[in-house]
Amino acid sequence: MKIIHLNTFGHTGGAGIAASRLVEALNEVNPGSASLMSAYENTGNLTFSQKIQKFKTLARSAADIFSARHQGLKKENIFLFSSARYGQNISNHPSLLTADIIHIHWINQGFLSIYDLHELSKLGKPVVLTMHDMWLLTGGCHYSADCRNYEQYCGNCYMLAKPGLKDLSAINWKNKQLMLRVLKPVIITCSHWLESVAAKSKLLESNNILTIPNPIDTDFFKPSGIKLAKIKLGFKPEEVIITLSAFKLSEPRKGFSYFLDALAFLKKNKDMRDKTIRVVLIGKFGKTELPDLPYPTTYTGYLSDPAEIIAYGQASDLFVLPSLEDNLPNTVMEMLSIGVPVVAFNTGGLPDLIDHKQNGYLAFYKSAESLAKGIAWIITDLEYSPRLRKEARKKVLYNFEKNLVADQYIEVYQKLLDARDLKSEKK
């Protein structure tokens, strides 16, 4: 069994990290069975060197953005919407020609176009497609916010300056419909929320849709003594460490403004007055975007080394994710695996990860006051901390451990291969 996985980024971004972890897990169960092809890393491309490949991918991504802007995409939405008009045809790549199954992940920003996905269907191989966001079933947006047009037919897109019945989103939606009819992939969603969204989509009404979570290496992301972890990072053992992480903290979808408001509520809470609280922010912030927080704050910047992320996680008393839209965030899974309780809004795939008041707290959607209440609940009831930390770890071990997830995917692959062989026998 040979599975080729396709993702724009190899080891960065939520989808890239999830895809690379899945490949590693599959190869542990069945050595040499899985490989990952990305647009920005050396993948044995037939024609170009790695350096030229990166340049061409960036050029295609820029062309895609320019084309979308020309067709009315608002400037503030250029990284929230992908039309996937420009890509590269990889259908003649030897890795795909020799693969038994093609597994597609996140392929935007210059890797594969909708047309290129259409071309893959000509190889006649079974296809699995894991959705890491909503892009597959929309006219281009990665998350639809309050818009439900995608359920029937995109158009009148709020992300465009001049929305209409035949706008860019409507064109993209129609192109995806034609592509999906010939590609006929088995659709995998990482969360039950995304499965419910996909089930409402007219685009995917003919596709088999399953939910399989992303995997994590629980031997790597593991708990440690919290007091010692704090001392190693220069924190005081008595400090309550509240950690928040996002690739780009200023992105509106990440809900950082709600976190700021929650801290303001927390500061007014009389039960918090005797607590020594420190906030740790992990992620990108422009120099002019650094906010004033009501508590001492440590800014780490973006951390690419997982060992550093683990170090800060092990020193954290709780983790906060104020995202307004999210599928199955790797950061939350990592923190739970380390044994850190998580506070987040009750939205998207977060209920798949967080059991309310068992391993964290699910706040009312878009309520900063509720978010603050969840933070205070964990801080005030620190006698519950060992139980919360134990339940956080247990949640991951029983549901997202890498071998458990790999086995679920192998079952899907095997059924596809059995169906292919049966079809061949009947000919």
Side-chain angles (χ1 to χ4, degrees):
M1 183 187 296
K2 291 185 178 180
I3 316 298
I4 179 73
H5 294 253
L6 308 177
N7 195 81
T8 302
F9 304 99
H11 297 87
T12 58
I17 291 170
S20 63
R21 287 177 180 173
L22 176 59
V23 168
E24 291 171 4
L26 291 169
N27 283 330
E28 279 197 22
V29 176
N30 189 0
S33 64
S35 59
L36 175 63
M37 178 186 291
S38 75
Y40 287 96
E41 296 176 20
N42 189 0
T43 57
N45 186 278
L46 289 173
T47 310
F48 307 112
S49 69
Q50 185 179 1
K51 189 173 182 179
I52 295 176
Q53 172 73 356
K54 287 182 178 180
F55 174 79
K56 285 181 173 289
T57 303
L58 285 169
R60 289 191 296 267
S61 180
D64 213 45
I65 291 172
F66 179 81
S67 175
R69 288 280 288 138
H70 182 70
Q71 295 181 75
L73 181 65
K74 296 176 184 177
K75 183 179 180 180
E76 62 267 28
N77 294 326
I78 58 175
F79 293 113
L80 306 177
F81 184 105
S82 298
S83 59
R85 181 177 179 182
Y86 296 95
Q88 58 180 328
N89 184 353
I90 59 172
S91 60
N92 64 342
H93 193 288
S95 293
L96 278 91
L97 295 175
T98 58
D100 295 305
I101 292 175
I102 300 172
H103 191 147
I104 301 166
H105 293 268
W106 200 88
I107 45 72
N108 288 300
Q109 295 186 8
F111 186 22
L112 302 179
S113 68
I114 297 174
Y115 171 79
D116 297 322
L117 293 176
H118 191 287
E119 287 296 293
L120 292 180
S121 68
K122 296 179 180 179
L123 295 175
K125 298 178 183 290
V127 175
V128 174
L129 198 158
T130 294
M131 293 176 60
H132 294 277
D133 57 23
M134 291 178 63
W135 179 81
L136 183 67
L137 51 83
T138 73
C141 64
H142 299 166
Y143 288 94
S144 69
D146 295 327
C147 177
R148 296 292 178 268
N149 289 354
Y150 67 86
E151 292 181 2
Q152 293 300 321
Y153 181 79
C154 278
N156 288 314
C157 180
Y158 73 95
M159 288 195 170
L160 304 178
K162 294 181 179 180
L165 293 176
K166 296 183 179 181
D167 62 17
L168 178 60
S169 71
I171 295 171
N172 289 342
W173 194 95
K174 190 66 176 178
N175 288 338
K176 286 181 183 178
Q177 184 180 52
L178 296 173
M179 176 270 293
L180 287 166
R181 283 177 181 172
V182 295
L183 195 63
K184 299 177 181 177
V186 171
I187 304 296
I188 306 293
T189 61
C190 301
S191 69
H192 290 93
W193 161 75
L194 194 52
E195 180 183 16
S196 68
V197 170
K200 297 175 184 176
S201 167
K202 189 173 180 63
L203 268 180
L204 303 181
E205 61 183 358
S206 299
N207 294 90
N208 186 17
I209 303 172
L210 305 170
T211 294
I212 301 177
N214 297 327
I216 189 168
D217 186 345
T218 53
D219 292 327
F220 186 63
F221 289 93
K222 59 184 179 181
S224 178
I226 186 170
K227 288 186 178 181
L228 180 59
K230 288 179 180 180
I231 293 171
K232 285 182 178 179
L233 292 174
F235 301 144
K236 298 175 182 177
E238 67 272 16
E239 284 185 305
V240 177
I241 306 299
I242 302 173
T243 300
L244 183 146
S245 172
F247 178 74
K248 189 176 182 182
L249 290 163
S250 58
E251 183 182 335
R253 183 174 65 86
K254 296 302 180 182
F256 188 71
S257 63
Y258 290 91
F259 178 67
L260 291 179
D261 291 342
L263 291 182
F265 278 114
L266 200 68
K267 192 70 175 178
K268 296 176 183 178
N269 188 331
K270 62 181 181 180
D271 294 329
M272 296 293 104
R273 291 173 185 171
D274 63 338
K275 307 296 182 183
T276 305
I277 295 174
R278 172 173 292 276
V279 176
V280 174
L281 297 181
I282 302 173
K284 288 186 177 180
F285 249 126
K287 291 182 179 180
T288 60
E289 296 176 321
L290 292 175
D292 291 325
L293 272 64
Y295 297 103
T297 304
T298 298
Y299 298 99
T300 70
Y302 174 69
L303 300 179
S304 58
D305 184 354
E308 288 186 286
I309 297 171
I310 290 172
Y312 279 99
Q314 290 172 338
S316 300
D317 290 280
L318 68 149
F319 182 82
V320 181
L321 187 95
S323 293
L324 305 180
E325 294 178 289
D326 235 323
N327 183 17
L328 197 77
N330 289 319
T331 52
V332 173
M333 192 182 296
E334 289 163 2
M335 291 299 136
L336 292 174
S337 186
I338 293 169
V340 181
V342 178
V343 179
F345 288 130
N346 188 0
T347 186
L350 275 307
D352 281 12
L353 292 159
I354 302 169
D355 297 319
H356 186 55
K357 290 191 174 182
Q358 296 299 313
N359 62 358
Y361 192 99
L362 289 171
F364 294 123
Y365 184 58
K366 289 188 176 181
S367 171
E369 186 173 3
S370 180
L371 201 67
K373 184 178 179 180
I375 295 171
W377 179 78
I378 291 176
I379 293 175
T380 304
D381 298 321
L382 279 179
E383 64 266 26
Y384 290 118
S385 183
R387 179 183 65 83
L388 287 173
R389 298 177 80 85
K390 182 180 179 181
E391 289 299 320
R393 173 73 172 171
K394 187 189 296 184
K395 179 72 174 185
V396 177
L397 287 173
Y398 290 175
N399 295 277
F400 310 110
E401 192 273 329
K402 59 182 179 180
N403 289 337
L404 293 176
V405 175
D407 286 344
Q408 292 178 68
Y409 267 109
I410 289 172
E411 183 178 352
V412 173
Y413 299 149
Q414 193 58 58
K415 286 182 179 179
L416 284 171
L417 294 178
D418 290 345
R420 181 200 62 182
D421 294 342
L422 182 62
K423 187 176 180 180
S424 298
E425 290 176 4
K426 290 182 178 180
K427 287 184 178 180

